[in-house]
């Protein structure tokens, strides 16, 4: 393949989405539809990717990064042929062009490769047999099965409307011929539009055979026009992700109840329970088990770790053989070593926790360095914020922090120290001591009576 150009048509308004966001910026698998089409295009190693934009185009451009993209404005939507015409000045005379649709995110890259193998000589049109072809351009063939024309639904006769083979909208052709044909199309048709599909009959008229490429995967040609389409494609996309994971050996308790909005990389014998959402790049090493209803974003979880139900993990690294949750929240900057235990209603933020340490109940540990074999009791809070600045708490190895302790940062608790329950620690704690700081030591008053209800 020499000099391949790809034109992505994305100027449509997307009225049926009923949204202020341009249609092609709605997401499939956490990524805008158009970005998925661009990724597919990149897999074909083109020389140029030209995106034809229209309505809301500035926003589409701003939110679509890529040094390799060239943007062409189609100020008025006068038809698919007119849209491609806008990109013609960017096409060389040699090489070939592939036309993709900006709202068809599951485009079949392999099929495009096969089409391109013939597109330096011929116009190749991707077609699909549809049970209900209503609305689509019909592929008209002669008795020898050769393609003669594409007739749009609104222009088709009753007999033509019975044809079930439809134009998917994806086609490839030599540049020189494309330019020549586009200069000849008109808008004398039912929709008063410049139809790209008219180039088929023009090729046939010149005696150049048009090659059909019939695809069988309906999802690969399905465009998104409404929130219903968006939903259906999303579910298909997620089903494919789930099936790919199961094929690799991952156990999914229900492939219909998992959402992967990024890249999920799994080792051997990983088990994922229902209703989990994975975002960004997530790695689960061998024997990691994820309980139900977890949201895990941008994280790595090492071998043998169990994450229990309703845990939320965001931008964190978790060591091997650890136990997290249920109901734990690991916020950005959390780094847990091996064999750590983080229990229910514990929030960690920007905190490192050493080997074998435990924070098991109702704690907040933020901006902290926790050593190895530390036990952080129930309800311990690192008071890291003074209202203006954040300060650090250091808890050295083998420390025991009693329940309901407040560690007012900046503060360091020395190795092996014990802090009595209910202490408010404002000064550094020396190593290997028992430190207690309570308002008043416990007293017991003998013979004390509870107040009695006064009789009226
Ligand atoms: C088009 C095809 C039809 C095919 C169908 C497949 C033509 C004339 N018809 O019909 O044969 O079966 O797609 O879905 O090509 N676009 C622009 N600028 C425009 C018009 C459209 O960029 O002026 C873009 C749209 O954003 C969309 C694509 O081109 O991504 C297809 O346009 P659409 O209006 O949906 O074409 P159809 O009428 O469905
Ligand atoms: Mg349409």
């Amino acid at each position: 393949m020499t000099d391949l150009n790809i034109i992505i048509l994305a100027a449509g308004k997307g009225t049926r989405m009923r949204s202020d966001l341009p249609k092609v910026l709605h997401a499939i698998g956490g990524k805008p539809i158009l970005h998925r089409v661009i990724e597919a295009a990149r897999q074909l190693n083109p020389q140029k990717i030209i995106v034809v934009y229209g309505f809301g185009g500035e926003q589409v451009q701003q939110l679509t990064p890529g040094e390799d993209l060239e943007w062409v404005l189609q100020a008025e939507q006068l038809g698919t042929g007119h849209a491609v015409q806008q990109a013609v000045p960017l096409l060389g005379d040699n090489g070939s062009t592939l036309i993709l649709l900006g709202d068809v995110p599951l485009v079949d890259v392999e099929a495009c490769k096969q089409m391109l193998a013939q597109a330096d000589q011929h116009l190749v049109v991707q077609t699909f047999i549809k049970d209900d072809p209503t609305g689509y351009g019909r592929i008209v063939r002669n008795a020898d099965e050769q393609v003669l024309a594409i007739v749009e639904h609104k222009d088709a006769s009753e007999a033509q409307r019975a044809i079930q083979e439809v134009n998917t909208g994806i086609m490839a052709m030599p540049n020189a011929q494309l330019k020549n044909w586009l200069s000849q199309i008109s808008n004398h048709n039912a929709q008063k539009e410049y139809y790209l599909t008219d180039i088929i009959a023009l090729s046939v008229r010149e005696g150049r055979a048009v090659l059909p490429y019939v695809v069988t995967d309906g999802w690969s040609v399905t465009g998104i026009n409404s929130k219903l389409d968006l939903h259906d494609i999303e579910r298909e996309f997620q089903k494919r992700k789930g099936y790919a994971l199961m094929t690799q050996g991952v156990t999914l308790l229900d492939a219909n109840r998992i959402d992967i909005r990024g890249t999920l990389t799994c080792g051997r014998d990983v088990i994922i329970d229902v209703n989990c959402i994975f975002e960004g790049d997530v790695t689960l090493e061998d024997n990691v088990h994820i309980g139900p209803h977890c949201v895990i974003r941008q994280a790595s979880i090492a071998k043998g770790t169990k994450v229990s139900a309703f845990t939320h993990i965001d931008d964190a690294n978790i060591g091997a053989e650890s136990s997290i949750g249920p109901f734990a929240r690991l916020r950005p900057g959390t780094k847990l070593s091996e064999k750590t235990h983080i229990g229910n209603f514990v929030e960690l933020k920007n905190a490192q926790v050493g080997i074998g340490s435990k924070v098991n109940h109702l704690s907040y540990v933020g901006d902290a360095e926790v050593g190895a074999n530390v036990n952080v009791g129930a309800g311990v809070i690192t008071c890291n914020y003074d209202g203006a600045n954040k300060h650090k708490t250091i808890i050295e190895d083998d420390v025991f922090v009693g329940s309901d302790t407040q560690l007012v940062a900046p503060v360091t608790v020395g190795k092996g120290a014990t802090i009595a329950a209910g202490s408010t620690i404002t000064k550094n704690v020396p190593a290997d001591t028992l430190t207690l700081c309570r308002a008043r030591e416990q007293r017991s008053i003998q013979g004390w009576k509870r107040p009695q209800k006064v009789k009226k």
Side-chain angles (χ1 to χ4, degrees), residues 227-257:
K227 292 287 170 69
L228 277 81
D229 296 334
L230 189 72
H231 166 272
D232 290 352
I233 296 243
E234 177 72 23
R235 291 338 305 162
E236 174 62 20
F237 176 89
Q238 294 300 345
K239 194 174 104 186
R240 289 181 181 192
K241 289 255 170 192
Y243 282 17
L245 286 171
M246 291 189 289
T247 306
Q248 286 164 34
V250 175
T251 301
L252 300 183
L253 274 293
D254 184 351
N256 293 316
R257 283 185 287 167

PDB file of all heavy atoms in Angstrom, residues 227-257:
ATOM      1  N   LYS A 227     -29.130   7.866  21.564  1.00  0.00           N
ATOM      2  CA  LYS A 227     -28.646   7.303  22.825  1.00  0.00           C
ATOM      3  C   LYS A 227     -28.918   5.799  22.877  1.00  0.00           C
ATOM      4  O   LYS A 227     -28.198   5.069  23.554  1.00  0.00           O
ATOM      5  CB  LYS A 227     -29.320   8.017  24.000  1.00  0.00           C
ATOM      6  CG  LYS A 227     -28.891   9.479  24.146  1.00  0.00           C
ATOM      7  CD  LYS A 227     -27.469   9.600  24.671  1.00  0.00           C
ATOM      8  CE  LYS A 227     -26.919  11.007  24.610  1.00  0.00           C
ATOM      9  NZ  LYS A 227     -27.523  11.960  25.533  1.00  0.00           N
ATOM     10  N   LEU A 228     -29.934   5.345  22.148  1.00  0.00           N
ATOM     11  CA  LEU A 228     -30.195   3.904  22.108  1.00  0.00           C
ATOM     12  C   LEU A 228     -29.062   3.184  21.373  1.00  0.00           C
ATOM     13  O   LEU A 228     -28.579   2.145  21.826  1.00  0.00           O
ATOM     14  CB  LEU A 228     -31.532   3.604  21.419  1.00  0.00           C
ATOM     15  CG  LEU A 228     -32.756   3.721  22.325  1.00  0.00           C
ATOM     16  CD1 LEU A 228     -33.175   5.174  22.479  1.00  0.00           C
ATOM     17  CD2 LEU A 228     -33.902   2.902  21.765  1.00  0.00           C
ATOM     18  N   ASP A 229     -28.647   3.766  20.238  1.00  0.00           N
ATOM     19  CA  ASP A 229     -27.520   3.171  19.488  1.00  0.00           C
ATOM     20  C   ASP A 229     -26.270   3.187  20.363  1.00  0.00           C
ATOM     21  O   ASP A 229     -25.506   2.222  20.391  1.00  0.00           O
ATOM     22  CB  ASP A 229     -27.218   3.976  18.219  1.00  0.00           C
ATOM     23  CG  ASP A 229     -28.368   3.943  17.223  1.00  0.00           C
ATOM     24  OD1 ASP A 229     -29.150   2.979  17.246  1.00  0.00           O
ATOM     25  OD2 ASP A 229     -28.468   4.908  16.427  1.00  0.00           O
ATOM     26  N   LEU A 230     -26.076   4.317  21.070  1.00  0.00           N
ATOM     27  CA  LEU A 230     -24.889   4.457  21.924  1.00  0.00           C
ATOM     28  C   LEU A 230     -24.882   3.338  22.970  1.00  0.00           C
ATOM     29  O   LEU A 230     -23.856   2.670  23.191  1.00  0.00           O
ATOM     30  CB  LEU A 230     -24.920   5.826  22.620  1.00  0.00           C
ATOM     31  CG  LEU A 230     -23.669   6.233  23.391  1.00  0.00           C
ATOM     32  CD1 LEU A 230     -22.528   6.573  22.440  1.00  0.00           C
ATOM     33  CD2 LEU A 230     -23.947   7.439  24.290  1.00  0.00           C
ATOM     34  N   HIS A 231     -26.024   3.102  23.552  1.00  0.00           N
ATOM     35  CA  HIS A 231     -26.159   2.040  24.561  1.00  0.00           C
ATOM     36  C   HIS A 231     -25.877   0.664  23.959  1.00  0.00           C
ATOM     37  O   HIS A 231     -25.106  -0.128  24.514  1.00  0.00           O
ATOM     38  CB  HIS A 231     -27.564   2.074  25.162  1.00  0.00           C
ATOM     39  CG  HIS A 231     -27.908   0.860  25.951  1.00  0.00           C
ATOM     40  ND1 HIS A 231     -28.470  -0.258  25.367  1.00  0.00           N
ATOM     41  CD2 HIS A 231     -27.726   0.547  27.257  1.00  0.00           C
ATOM     42  CE1 HIS A 231     -28.620  -1.193  26.303  1.00  0.00           C
ATOM     43  NE2 HIS A 231     -28.178  -0.724  27.443  1.00  0.00           N
ATOM     44  N   ASP A 232     -26.487   0.380  22.816  1.00  0.00           N
ATOM     45  CA  ASP A 232     -26.343  -0.962  22.218  1.00  0.00           C
ATOM     46  C   ASP A 232     -24.892  -1.243  21.843  1.00  0.00           C
ATOM     47  O   ASP A 232     -24.387  -2.337  22.063  1.00  0.00           O
ATOM     48  CB  ASP A 232     -27.241  -1.093  20.988  1.00  0.00           C
ATOM     49  CG  ASP A 232     -28.717  -1.129  21.383  1.00  0.00           C
ATOM     50  OD1 ASP A 232     -29.008  -1.213  22.590  1.00  0.00           O
ATOM     51  OD2 ASP A 232     -29.569  -1.058  20.474  1.00  0.00           O
ATOM     52  N   ILE A 233     -24.218  -0.225  21.278  1.00  0.00           N
ATOM     53  CA  ILE A 233     -22.815  -0.415  20.878  1.00  0.00           C
ATOM     54  C   ILE A 233     -21.949  -0.540  22.118  1.00  0.00           C
ATOM     55  O   ILE A 233     -21.008  -1.343  22.155  1.00  0.00           O
ATOM     56  CB  ILE A 233     -22.331   0.749  19.983  1.00  0.00           C
ATOM     57  CG1 ILE A 233     -23.127   0.746  18.686  1.00  0.00           C
ATOM     58  CG2 ILE A 233     -20.835   0.671  19.734  1.00  0.00           C
ATOM     59  CD1 ILE A 233     -22.379   0.518  17.423  1.00  0.00           C
ATOM     60  N   GLU A 234     -22.251   0.233  23.156  1.00  0.00           N
ATOM     61  CA  GLU A 234     -21.485   0.133  24.405  1.00  0.00           C
ATOM     62  C   GLU A 234     -21.577  -1.287  24.955  1.00  0.00           C
ATOM     63  O   GLU A 234     -20.568  -1.881  25.348  1.00  0.00           O
ATOM     64  CB  GLU A 234     -22.027   1.144  25.431  1.00  0.00           C
ATOM     65  CG  GLU A 234     -21.351   1.085  26.801  1.00  0.00           C
ATOM     66  CD  GLU A 234     -19.923   1.628  26.816  1.00  0.00           C
ATOM     67  OE1 GLU A 234     -19.570   2.427  25.938  1.00  0.00           O
ATOM     68  OE2 GLU A 234     -19.158   1.237  27.731  1.00  0.00           O
ATOM     69  N   ARG A 235     -22.786  -1.849  24.998  1.00  0.00           N
ATOM     70  CA  ARG A 235     -22.935  -3.200  25.550  1.00  0.00           C
ATOM     71  C   ARG A 235     -22.176  -4.213  24.688  1.00  0.00           C
ATOM     72  O   ARG A 235     -21.542  -5.122  25.210  1.00  0.00           O
ATOM     73  CB  ARG A 235     -24.406  -3.598  25.653  1.00  0.00           C
ATOM     74  CG  ARG A 235     -25.275  -2.883  26.680  1.00  0.00           C
ATOM     75  CD  ARG A 235     -24.594  -2.214  27.846  1.00  0.00           C
ATOM     76  NE  ARG A 235     -23.725  -3.058  28.620  1.00  0.00           N
ATOM     77  CZ  ARG A 235     -22.780  -2.604  29.459  1.00  0.00           C
ATOM     78  NH1 ARG A 235     -22.574  -1.305  29.614  1.00  0.00           N
ATOM     79  NH2 ARG A 235     -22.026  -3.424  30.115  1.00  0.00           N
ATOM     80  N   GLU A 236     -22.240  -4.073  23.383  1.00  0.00           N
ATOM     81  CA  GLU A 236     -21.512  -4.985  22.493  1.00  0.00           C
ATOM     82  C   GLU A 236     -20.003  -4.853  22.711  1.00  0.00           C
ATOM     83  O   GLU A 236     -19.286  -5.837  22.815  1.00  0.00           O
ATOM     84  CB  GLU A 236     -21.876  -4.678  21.032  1.00  0.00           C
ATOM     85  CG  GLU A 236     -21.072  -5.452  20.000  1.00  0.00           C
ATOM     86  CD  GLU A 236     -21.251  -6.960  20.084  1.00  0.00           C
ATOM     87  OE1 GLU A 236     -22.250  -7.431  20.654  1.00  0.00           O
ATOM     88  OE2 GLU A 236     -20.355  -7.678  19.561  1.00  0.00           O
ATOM     89  N   PHE A 237     -19.552  -3.596  22.823  1.00  0.00           N
ATOM     90  CA  PHE A 237     -18.131  -3.326  23.058  1.00  0.00           C
ATOM     91  C   PHE A 237     -17.688  -3.995  24.358  1.00  0.00           C
ATOM     92  O   PHE A 237     -16.657  -4.667  24.417  1.00  0.00           O
ATOM     93  CB  PHE A 237     -17.930  -1.802  23.126  1.00  0.00           C
ATOM     94  CG  PHE A 237     -16.529  -1.379  23.458  1.00  0.00           C
ATOM     95  CD1 PHE A 237     -15.596  -1.183  22.459  1.00  0.00           C
ATOM     96  CD2 PHE A 237     -16.153  -1.157  24.779  1.00  0.00           C
ATOM     97  CE1 PHE A 237     -14.302  -0.785  22.774  1.00  0.00           C
ATOM     98  CE2 PHE A 237     -14.866  -0.766  25.095  1.00  0.00           C
ATOM     99  CZ  PHE A 237     -13.944  -0.581  24.091  1.00  0.00           C
ATOM    100  N   GLN A 238     -18.490  -3.849  25.424  1.00  0.00           N
ATOM    101  CA  GLN A 238     -18.141  -4.426  26.726  1.00  0.00           C
ATOM    102  C   GLN A 238     -18.202  -5.944  26.682  1.00  0.00           C
ATOM    103  O   GLN A 238     -17.379  -6.624  27.303  1.00  0.00           O
ATOM    104  CB  GLN A 238     -19.062  -3.885  27.828  1.00  0.00           C
ATOM    105  CG  GLN A 238     -18.893  -2.396  28.100  1.00  0.00           C
ATOM    106  CD  GLN A 238     -17.486  -2.012  28.555  1.00  0.00           C
ATOM    107  OE1 GLN A 238     -16.682  -2.860  28.943  1.00  0.00           O
ATOM    108  NE2 GLN A 238     -17.163  -0.736  28.465  1.00  0.00           N
ATOM    109  N   LYS A 239     -19.159  -6.481  25.947  1.00  0.00           N
ATOM    110  CA  LYS A 239     -19.261  -7.938  25.821  1.00  0.00           C
ATOM    111  C   LYS A 239     -17.993  -8.478  25.159  1.00  0.00           C
ATOM    112  O   LYS A 239     -17.420  -9.471  25.608  1.00  0.00           O
ATOM    113  CB  LYS A 239     -20.505  -8.289  24.989  1.00  0.00           C
ATOM    114  CG  LYS A 239     -20.885  -9.749  25.072  1.00  0.00           C
ATOM    115  CD  LYS A 239     -22.198 -10.010  24.361  1.00  0.00           C
ATOM    116  CE  LYS A 239     -21.919 -10.677  23.040  1.00  0.00           C
ATOM    117  NZ  LYS A 239     -23.132 -10.840  22.219  1.00  0.00           N
ATOM    118  N   ARG A 240     -17.530  -7.779  24.138  1.00  0.00           N
ATOM    119  CA  ARG A 240     -16.307  -8.217  23.444  1.00  0.00           C
ATOM    120  C   ARG A 240     -15.106  -8.173  24.382  1.00  0.00           C
ATOM    121  O   ARG A 240     -14.264  -9.058  24.375  1.00  0.00           O
ATOM    122  CB  ARG A 240     -16.047  -7.345  22.214  1.00  0.00           C
ATOM    123  CG  ARG A 240     -17.047  -7.612  21.111  1.00  0.00           C
ATOM    124  CD  ARG A 240     -16.786  -6.761  19.888  1.00  0.00           C
ATOM    125  NE  ARG A 240     -17.800  -7.042  18.882  1.00  0.00           N
ATOM    126  CZ  ARG A 240     -17.747  -6.654  17.626  1.00  0.00           C
ATOM    127  NH1 ARG A 240     -16.708  -5.960  17.196  1.00  0.00           N
ATOM    128  NH2 ARG A 240     -18.713  -6.955  16.797  1.00  0.00           N
ATOM    129  N   LYS A 241     -15.019  -7.110  25.179  1.00  0.00           N
ATOM    130  CA  LYS A 241     -13.910  -6.985  26.143  1.00  0.00           C
ATOM    131  C   LYS A 241     -13.971  -8.140  27.134  1.00  0.00           C
ATOM    132  O   LYS A 241     -12.955  -8.744  27.462  1.00  0.00           O
ATOM    133  CB  LYS A 241     -14.020  -5.663  26.918  1.00  0.00           C
ATOM    134  CG  LYS A 241     -13.706  -4.450  26.097  1.00  0.00           C
ATOM    135  CD  LYS A 241     -12.338  -3.927  26.457  1.00  0.00           C
ATOM    136  CE  LYS A 241     -11.904  -2.858  25.487  1.00  0.00           C
ATOM    137  NZ  LYS A 241     -10.503  -2.519  25.606  1.00  0.00           N
ATOM    138  N   GLY A 242     -15.180  -8.408  27.629  1.00  0.00           N
ATOM    139  CA  GLY A 242     -15.368  -9.483  28.602  1.00  0.00           C
ATOM    140  C   GLY A 242     -15.003 -10.840  28.013  1.00  0.00           C
ATOM    141  O   GLY A 242     -14.302 -11.633  28.646  1.00  0.00           O
ATOM    142  N   TYR A 243     -15.450 -11.097  26.794  1.00  0.00           N
ATOM    143  CA  TYR A 243     -15.155 -12.390  26.161  1.00  0.00           C
ATOM    144  C   TYR A 243     -13.652 -12.544  25.943  1.00  0.00           C
ATOM    145  O   TYR A 243     -13.108 -13.630  26.128  1.00  0.00           O
ATOM    146  CB  TYR A 243     -15.913 -12.529  24.830  1.00  0.00           C
ATOM    147  CG  TYR A 243     -17.376 -12.889  25.019  1.00  0.00           C
ATOM    148  CD1 TYR A 243     -18.012 -12.716  26.251  1.00  0.00           C
ATOM    149  CD2 TYR A 243     -18.142 -13.399  23.972  1.00  0.00           C
ATOM    150  CE1 TYR A 243     -19.347 -13.033  26.427  1.00  0.00           C
ATOM    151  CE2 TYR A 243     -19.479 -13.728  24.150  1.00  0.00           C
ATOM    152  CZ  TYR A 243     -20.075 -13.537  25.380  1.00  0.00           C
ATOM    153  OH  TYR A 243     -21.396 -13.844  25.560  1.00  0.00           O
ATOM    154  N   ALA A 244     -12.996 -11.449  25.572  1.00  0.00           N
ATOM    155  CA  ALA A 244     -11.540 -11.521  25.353  1.00  0.00           C
ATOM    156  C   ALA A 244     -10.835 -11.871  26.661  1.00  0.00           C
ATOM    157  O   ALA A 244      -9.913 -12.691  26.686  1.00  0.00           O
ATOM    158  CB  ALA A 244     -11.027 -10.193  24.800  1.00  0.00           C
ATOM    159  N   LEU A 245     -11.300 -11.285  27.778  1.00  0.00           N
ATOM    160  CA  LEU A 245     -10.689 -11.596  29.077  1.00  0.00           C
ATOM    161  C   LEU A 245     -10.915 -13.059  29.435  1.00  0.00           C
ATOM    162  O   LEU A 245     -10.000 -13.751  29.894  1.00  0.00           O
ATOM    163  CB  LEU A 245     -11.287 -10.715  30.178  1.00  0.00           C
ATOM    164  CG  LEU A 245     -10.851  -9.255  30.193  1.00  0.00           C
ATOM    165  CD1 LEU A 245     -11.694  -8.477  31.181  1.00  0.00           C
ATOM    166  CD2 LEU A 245      -9.372  -9.120  30.525  1.00  0.00           C
ATOM    167  N   MET A 246     -12.120 -13.551  29.230  1.00  0.00           N
ATOM    168  CA  MET A 246     -12.422 -14.948  29.568  1.00  0.00           C
ATOM    169  C   MET A 246     -11.605 -15.893  28.694  1.00  0.00           C
ATOM    170  O   MET A 246     -11.114 -16.919  29.176  1.00  0.00           O
ATOM    171  CB  MET A 246     -13.918 -15.222  29.432  1.00  0.00           C
ATOM    172  CG  MET A 246     -14.726 -14.504  30.511  1.00  0.00           C
ATOM    173  SD  MET A 246     -16.463 -14.978  30.560  1.00  0.00           S
ATOM    174  CE  MET A 246     -17.076 -14.226  29.069  1.00  0.00           C
ATOM    175  N   THR A 247     -11.416 -15.530  27.444  1.00  0.00           N
ATOM    176  CA  THR A 247     -10.600 -16.355  26.541  1.00  0.00           C
ATOM    177  C   THR A 247      -9.169 -16.448  27.069  1.00  0.00           C
ATOM    178  O   THR A 247      -8.527 -17.489  26.973  1.00  0.00           O
ATOM    179  CB  THR A 247     -10.622 -15.751  25.113  1.00  0.00           C
ATOM    180  OG1 THR A 247     -11.977 -15.597  24.725  1.00  0.00           O
ATOM    181  CG2 THR A 247      -9.911 -16.647  24.111  1.00  0.00           C
ATOM    182  N   GLN A 248      -8.705 -15.347  27.689  1.00  0.00           N
ATOM    183  CA  GLN A 248      -7.347 -15.350  28.271  1.00  0.00           C
ATOM    184  C   GLN A 248      -7.289 -16.110  29.589  1.00  0.00           C
ATOM    185  O   GLN A 248      -6.216 -16.289  30.151  1.00  0.00           O
ATOM    186  CB  GLN A 248      -6.914 -13.915  28.596  1.00  0.00           C
ATOM    187  CG  GLN A 248      -6.541 -13.067  27.416  1.00  0.00           C
ATOM    188  CD  GLN A 248      -6.523 -11.593  27.838  1.00  0.00           C
ATOM    189  OE1 GLN A 248      -6.181 -11.256  28.968  1.00  0.00           O
ATOM    190  NE2 GLN A 248      -6.902 -10.720  26.932  1.00  0.00           N
ATOM    191  N   GLY A 249      -8.448 -16.506  30.140  1.00  0.00           N
ATOM    192  CA  GLY A 249      -8.445 -17.283  31.375  1.00  0.00           C
ATOM    193  C   GLY A 249      -8.980 -16.560  32.585  1.00  0.00           C
ATOM    194  O   GLY A 249      -8.976 -17.105  33.689  1.00  0.00           O
ATOM    195  N   VAL A 250      -9.429 -15.334  32.411  1.00  0.00           N
ATOM    196  CA  VAL A 250     -10.000 -14.589  33.549  1.00  0.00           C
ATOM    197  C   VAL A 250     -11.408 -15.125  33.827  1.00  0.00           C
ATOM    198  O   VAL A 250     -12.159 -15.412  32.905  1.00  0.00           O
ATOM    199  CB  VAL A 250     -10.076 -13.081  33.210  1.00  0.00           C
ATOM    200  CG1 VAL A 250     -10.769 -12.294  34.318  1.00  0.00           C
ATOM    201  CG2 VAL A 250      -8.691 -12.533  32.940  1.00  0.00           C
ATOM    202  N   THR A 251     -11.762 -15.286  35.114  1.00  0.00           N
ATOM    203  CA  THR A 251     -13.116 -15.696  35.479  1.00  0.00           C
ATOM    204  C   THR A 251     -13.953 -14.448  35.715  1.00  0.00           C
ATOM    205  O   THR A 251     -13.645 -13.650  36.599  1.00  0.00           O
ATOM    206  CB  THR A 251     -13.108 -16.536  36.774  1.00  0.00           C
ATOM    207  OG1 THR A 251     -12.291 -17.683  36.548  1.00  0.00           O
ATOM    208  CG2 THR A 251     -14.508 -16.986  37.158  1.00  0.00           C
ATOM    209  N   LEU A 252     -14.997 -14.287  34.907  1.00  0.00           N
ATOM    210  CA  LEU A 252     -15.954 -13.202  35.134  1.00  0.00           C
ATOM    211  C   LEU A 252     -17.235 -13.845  35.617  1.00  0.00           C
ATOM    212  O   LEU A 252     -17.765 -14.730  34.950  1.00  0.00           O
ATOM    213  CB  LEU A 252     -16.228 -12.439  33.829  1.00  0.00           C
ATOM    214  CG  LEU A 252     -15.049 -11.762  33.137  1.00  0.00           C
ATOM    215  CD1 LEU A 252     -15.544 -10.993  31.916  1.00  0.00           C
ATOM    216  CD2 LEU A 252     -14.333 -10.824  34.088  1.00  0.00           C
ATOM    217  N   LEU A 253     -17.748 -13.412  36.759  1.00  0.00           N
ATOM    218  CA  LEU A 253     -18.962 -14.026  37.272  1.00  0.00           C
ATOM    219  C   LEU A 253     -20.141 -13.730  36.360  1.00  0.00           C
ATOM    220  O   LEU A 253     -21.061 -14.519  36.261  1.00  0.00           O
ATOM    221  CB  LEU A 253     -19.238 -13.565  38.704  1.00  0.00           C
ATOM    222  CG  LEU A 253     -18.549 -14.367  39.814  1.00  0.00           C
ATOM    223  CD1 LEU A 253     -19.116 -15.778  39.861  1.00  0.00           C
ATOM    224  CD2 LEU A 253     -17.045 -14.478  39.654  1.00  0.00           C
ATOM    225  N   ASP A 254     -20.109 -12.557  35.703  1.00  0.00           N
ATOM    226  CA  ASP A 254     -21.142 -12.240  34.716  1.00  0.00           C
ATOM    227  C   ASP A 254     -20.564 -11.240  33.717  1.00  0.00           C
ATOM    228  O   ASP A 254     -20.347 -10.077  34.049  1.00  0.00           O
ATOM    229  CB  ASP A 254     -22.368 -11.641  35.407  1.00  0.00           C
ATOM    230  CG  ASP A 254     -23.514 -11.392  34.432  1.00  0.00           C
ATOM    231  OD1 ASP A 254     -23.302 -11.514  33.199  1.00  0.00           O
ATOM    232  OD2 ASP A 254     -24.619 -11.066  34.895  1.00  0.00           O
ATOM    233  N   ALA A 255     -20.338 -11.726  32.507  1.00  0.00           N
ATOM    234  CA  ALA A 255     -19.734 -10.871  31.468  1.00  0.00           C
ATOM    235  C   ALA A 255     -20.660  -9.733  31.065  1.00  0.00           C
ATOM    236  O   ALA A 255     -20.225  -8.770  30.425  1.00  0.00           O
ATOM    237  CB  ALA A 255     -19.363 -11.697  30.239  1.00  0.00           C
ATOM    238  N   ASN A 256     -21.927  -9.815  31.432  1.00  0.00           N
ATOM    239  CA  ASN A 256     -22.851  -8.716  31.130  1.00  0.00           C
ATOM    240  C   ASN A 256     -22.818  -7.639  32.208  1.00  0.00           C
ATOM    241  O   ASN A 256     -23.503  -6.632  32.103  1.00  0.00           O
ATOM    242  CB  ASN A 256     -24.286  -9.239  31.012  1.00  0.00           C
ATOM    243  CG  ASN A 256     -24.433 -10.125  29.801  1.00  0.00           C
ATOM    244  OD1 ASN A 256     -23.936  -9.791  28.726  1.00  0.00           O
ATOM    245  ND2 ASN A 256     -25.069 -11.259  29.979  1.00  0.00           N
ATOM    246  N   ARG A 257     -22.063  -7.894  33.265  1.00  0.00           N
ATOM    247  CA  ARG A 257     -22.009  -6.900  34.338  1.00  0.00           C
ATOM    248  C   ARG A 257     -20.559  -6.546  34.653  1.00  0.00           C
ATOM    249  O   ARG A 257     -20.070  -6.724  35.772  1.00  0.00           O
ATOM    250  CB  ARG A 257     -22.753  -7.413  35.580  1.00  0.00           C
ATOM    251  CG  ARG A 257     -24.265  -7.316  35.416  1.00  0.00           C
ATOM    252  CD  ARG A 257     -24.988  -7.703  36.672  1.00  0.00           C
ATOM    253  NE  ARG A 257     -24.944  -9.136  36.916  1.00  0.00           N
ATOM    254  CZ  ARG A 257     -25.276  -9.714  38.064  1.00  0.00           C
ATOM    255  NH1 ARG A 257     -25.651  -8.963  39.080  1.00  0.00           N
ATOM    256  NH2 ARG A 257     -25.224 -11.014  38.215  1.00  0.00           N
TER     257      ARG A 257
END
